[in-house]
């Protein structure tokens, strides 16, 4: 890896813009999560207020965590490390700033349209056609900036992080268009079973071809840097990259094991879900061997600490995911809070943690001054860790109660009183995560615009 180049005022505007975008939307997204969790405890709370109905709050929460908090957070680091690894400047900071503005415009449109009830009703593809176009456009703008930077590079070798970010962005632009059936603006869907298959091809690729490669890119950058050690194996890193592309793209149908899709497709999705252990372990072995004996350095760097914890969460969510794709297991875990637990370990524990880690790692480097408060960042780390581990325990128990009851023929409504207290625990933990998002926004704003603070 090349040496770090430090900031001049004009540089890193795009990275800064994505840091702010991520920190701001994390607050809004977690607030919507907390609101949804509260509504599940007290459904009458927002009765008759259409735009606050659970069915609208939930997709706003989910789309904001994915496209408002996590993806921009991961992109912030990418806009710092890609030029640095290629020993060149970003192709165009102006284009980057326009992208940040357009990205935020799209997010505002997402919130307003979903709150008003404009939805295409397909998970992760709820947004209506004009917003889909805007989202594809912003991904394309990111890709142009990245690929032009690659084209103008002075460093001949493409480090694996660059592979991950370029692939993640262009593949997402394509799978997003496919999954949103963008050639049918009126419905945004096919009909019948093919629609479900296509939707979940895209739905799983949000995690497999967007969050995972972008997170891996950040981890491959931050961990060797923080450990001041070379990557354990470049060959293994490229093996992990290609095996991820080959295996992850086949597993979407594991969301449809209870649905009459062709059996051969289910078999492929199950086999490849188990085969996911190959890219997952290739990545983790590489990162963990790089960090072997250097945990002290990781502990001392708050950004690396977030990132490293994210890799541990990746281990758990992936092993869990492979098991959830087995039909006998899914018979109990499908359609209940078990999956919600898994979703939060993946999107928050793995990708969200790494997004925050990347932000805290690059902040001092793009501002040219220390983090405003390492203490507050550490506080946020612990709050999120407690929150996500708590979510996992509470929702997994609730899911097992639901899954076993339904397997035994119990009706849905009779199980609700039994899981009520777990919903209260989830909302309480949600309050912790929401508070930590406010702390994070404050810390990032202070680091960027005000004095350099007391610790670091
Ligand atoms: C080896 C890797 C993984 C495998 C095999 C896997 C498997 C699965 C399966 C089988 C489901 C469907 C459960 C059901 O509906 O019964 C699921 C859902 C989900 N997974 Fe994973 N998973 C993996 C990794 C991840 C990662 C890394 C993330 C996040 C970055 C993630 C996020 C999610 C989310 C959000 C859902 C819920 C989707 C929904 O129904 O809305 N998974 N996963
Ligand atoms: C204040 C903290 C949070 C609370 C209270 C919360 C609560 C919720 C609730 C109530 C749902 C809907 C569950 C259902 O339909 O039964 C949900 C879904 C989801 N949340 Fe959160 N959430 C929080 C933070 C986050 C964060 C930070 C992320 C990611 C970075 C996240 C990712 C997701 C995802 C991906 C889903 C969809 C899960 C699925 O369909 O399987 N949440 N959350």
């Amino acid at each position: 890896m090349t040496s770090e180049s430090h900031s001049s005022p004009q540089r890193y505007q795009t990275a800064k813009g994505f840091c702010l975008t991520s920190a701001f939307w994390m607050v809004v997204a977690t607030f919507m999560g907390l609101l949804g969790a509260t509504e599940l405890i007290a459904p009458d709370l927002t009765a008759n207020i259409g735009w606050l109905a659970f069915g609208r709050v939930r997709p706003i929460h989910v789309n904001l965590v994915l496209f408002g908090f996590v993806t921009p957070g991961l992109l912030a680091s990418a806009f710092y490390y890609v030029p640095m690894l290629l020993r060149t400047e970003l192709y165009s900071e102006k284009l980057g700033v326009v992208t940040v503005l357009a990205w935020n415009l799209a997010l505002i449109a997402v919130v307003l349209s979903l709150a008003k009830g404009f939805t295409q009703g397909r998970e992760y593809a709820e947004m209506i056609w004009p917003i889909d176009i805007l989202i594809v456009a912003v991904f394309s703008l990111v890709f142009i900036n990245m690929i032009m930077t690659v084209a103008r590079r002075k460093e001949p070798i493409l480090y694996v992080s660059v592979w991950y970010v370029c692939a993640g962005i262009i593949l997402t632009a394509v799978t997003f268009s496919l999954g949103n059936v963008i050639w049918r603006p009126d419905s945004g869907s096919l009909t019948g079973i093919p629609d479900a298959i296509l939707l979940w091809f895209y739905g799983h690729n949000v995690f497999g071809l967007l969050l995972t490669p972008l997170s891996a890119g950040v981890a491959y950058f931050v961990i060797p840097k923080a450990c001041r050690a070379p990557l354990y194996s470049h060959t293994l890193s490229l093996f992990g990259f290609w095996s991820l592309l080959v295996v992850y793209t086949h597993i979407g149908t594991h969301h449809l094991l209870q649905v009459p899709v062709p059996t051969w497709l289910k078999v492929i999705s199950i086999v490849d879900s188990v085969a996911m252990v190959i890219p997952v372990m290739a990545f983790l072995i590489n990162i963990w061997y790089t960090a072997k004996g250097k945990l002290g350095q990781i502990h001392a760097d708050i950004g690396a600490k977030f990132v490293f914890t994210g890799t541990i969460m990746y281990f758990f969510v992936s092993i869990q995911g492979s098991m959830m794709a087995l039909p006998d297991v899914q018979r109990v875990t499908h359609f209940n809070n078990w999956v919600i637990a898994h979703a939060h370990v993946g999107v928050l524990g793995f990708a969200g943690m790494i997004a925050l880690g990347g932000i805290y790692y690059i902040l001092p480097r793009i501002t040219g001054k220390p983090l405003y408060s390492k203490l507050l960042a550490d506080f946020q780390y612990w709050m999120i860790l407690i929150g996500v581990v708590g979510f996992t325990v509470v929702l997994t128990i609730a899911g097992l109660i639901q899954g076993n009851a339904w397997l035994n023929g119990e009706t849905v409504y009779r199980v609700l009183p039994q899981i009520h207290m777990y919903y209260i625990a989830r909302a309480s933990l949600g309050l912790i995560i929401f508070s930590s998002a406010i702390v994070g926004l404050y810390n990032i704003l202070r680091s960027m615009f005000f004095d350099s603070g007391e610790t670091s």
Side-chain angles (χ1 to χ4, degrees):
M1 274 194 232
T2 56
S3 64
E4 293 182 39
S5 42
H6 277 285
S7 67
S8 72
Q10 291 79 19
R11 290 185 79 182
Y12 306 129
Q13 300 288 3
T14 316
K16 286 181 189 166
F18 274 117
C19 283
L20 289 173
T21 303
S22 172
F24 170 75
W25 289 103
M26 185 186 180
V27 173
V28 185
T30 48
F31 175 75
M32 295 312 277
L34 184 56
L35 183 60
T38 312
E39 289 177 354
L40 288 173
I41 303 169
D44 292 337
L45 193 72
T46 52
N48 304 324
I49 312 176
W51 59 279
L52 288 184
F54 182 77
R56 298 191 193 178
V57 168
R58 186 187 192 283
I60 295 177
H61 166 64
V62 172
N63 283 295
L64 284 188
V65 292
L66 292 173
F67 298 116
F69 158 44
V70 181
T71 306
L74 295 168
L75 283 178
S77 312
F79 273 100
Y80 170 75
Y81 71 66
V82 168
M84 196 193 121
L85 291 171
L86 299 173
R87 286 197 287 128
T88 185
E89 302 266 318
L90 181 68
Y91 168 62
S92 169
E93 286 289 351
K94 272 197 192 122
L95 179 62
V97 172
V98 170
T99 312
V100 171
L101 293 175
W103 196 291
N104 280 280
L105 191 71
L107 291 169
I108 293 168
V110 166
V111 175
L112 294 181
S113 60
L114 290 177
K116 280 293 283 176
F118 292 103
T119 174
Q120 291 184 331
R122 296 159 80 249
E123 204 179 353
Y124 305 113
E126 289 92 351
M127 281 79 81
I128 52 174
W129 189 76
I131 302 175
D132 290 345
I133 297 293
L134 196 53
I135 293 176
V136 176
V138 290
F139 272 98
S140 306
L141 293 182
V142 173
F143 184 69
I144 290 170
N145 226 341
M146 290 293 174
I147 207 71
M148 290 306 291
T149 310
V150 173
R152 294 172 167 214
R153 71 190 193 272
K154 299 193 186 80
E155 167 63 55
I157 294 170
L158 288 182
Y159 184 64
V160 66
S161 297
V162 182
W163 285 86
Y164 269 121
V165 68
C166 290
I169 294 301
I170 190 63
L171 292 172
T172 302
V174 175
T175 50
F176 186 92
S177 306
L178 285 174
N180 282 273
V181 195
I182 214 151
W183 59 96
R184 288 200 179 161
D186 49 340
S187 66
S189 66
L190 306 174
T191 45
I193 291 294
D195 184 62
I197 296 171
L198 186 60
L199 172 71
W200 279 112
F201 165 72
Y202 152 70
H204 205 94
N205 282 337
V206 171
F207 317 120
L209 293 185
L210 177 64
L211 301 191
T212 302
L214 294 192
S215 304
V218 175
Y220 272 123
F221 172 71
V222 170
I223 297 297
K225 277 276 184 200
C227 295
R228 286 177 216 96
L231 185 66
Y232 173 64
S233 164
H234 287 281
T235 313
L236 190 59
S237 74
L238 290 183
F239 172 75
F241 173 84
W242 287 109
S243 56
L244 183 97
L245 292 201
V246 171
V247 180
Y248 231 133
T249 38
H250 293 70
I251 66 178
T253 301
H254 66 207
H255 293 262
L256 300 168
L257 296 183
Q258 331 271 330
V259 174
V261 301
T263 306
W264 63 266
L265 202 52
K266 289 186 189 176
V267 172
I268 288 179
S269 78
I270 295 166
V271 171
D272 278 19
S273 296
V274 176
M276 271 299 297
V277 71
I278 299 167
V280 169
M281 289 319 294
F283 164 68
L284 289 175
I285 287 172
N286 218 349
I287 292 293
W288 290 347
Y289 267 68
T290 304
K292 197 173 159 200
K294 305 195 174 64
L295 288 183
Q297 271 127 296
I298 288 182
H299 189 257
D301 184 315
I302 183 62
K305 189 162 138 179
F306 266 105
V307 172
F308 195 76
T309 308
T311 64
I312 297 170
M313 294 284 180
Y314 186 50
F315 175 76
F316 285 117
V317 77
S318 302
I319 298 299
Q320 183 192 38
S322 295
M323 288 196 298
M324 283 159 59
L326 303 174
D328 279 345
V329 175
Q330 203 176 102
R331 217 155 279 146
V332 179
T333 59
H334 191 55
F335 270 152
N336 59 51
N337 278 296
W338 175 291
V339 180
I340 310 293
H342 170 78
H344 285 89
V345 183
V347 185
L348 174 57
F350 160 52
M353 277 278 194
I354 293 188
L356 284 164
I359 290 177
Y360 284 124
Y361 185 82
I362 65 163
L363 258 180
R365 291 160 175 88
I366 59 178
T367 57
K369 54 190 183 183
L371 198 62
Y372 168 66
S373 169
K374 189 171 174 261
L375 194 73
L376 286 184
D378 216 23
F379 175 78
Q380 188 182 20
Y381 169 86
W382 283 106
M383 292 303 101
I384 292 182
L385 194 59
I386 291 168
V388 74
V389 172
F391 268 18
T392 311
V393 172
V394 164
L395 294 172
T396 302
I397 298 173
L400 286 174
I401 294 172
Q402 292 173 298
N404 281 297
W406 298 342
L407 206 60
N408 290 328
E410 190 54 277
T411 49
V412 170
Y413 79 94
R414 278 165 56 97
V415 186
L416 293 179
Q418 292 176 43
I419 59 171
H420 190 72
M421 67 175 199
Y422 297 100
Y423 275 176
I424 294 176
R426 189 254 302 269
S428 314
L429 291 158
L431 189 59
I432 294 179
I433 301 176
F434 171 61
S435 314
S436 86
I438 296 176
V439 169
L441 176 63
Y442 175 73
N443 203 4
I444 291 166
L445 282 173
R446 291 293 305 227
S447 300
M448 232 173 243
F449 297 114
F450 302 99
D451 54 306
S452 55
E454 79 294 0
T455 52
S456 288

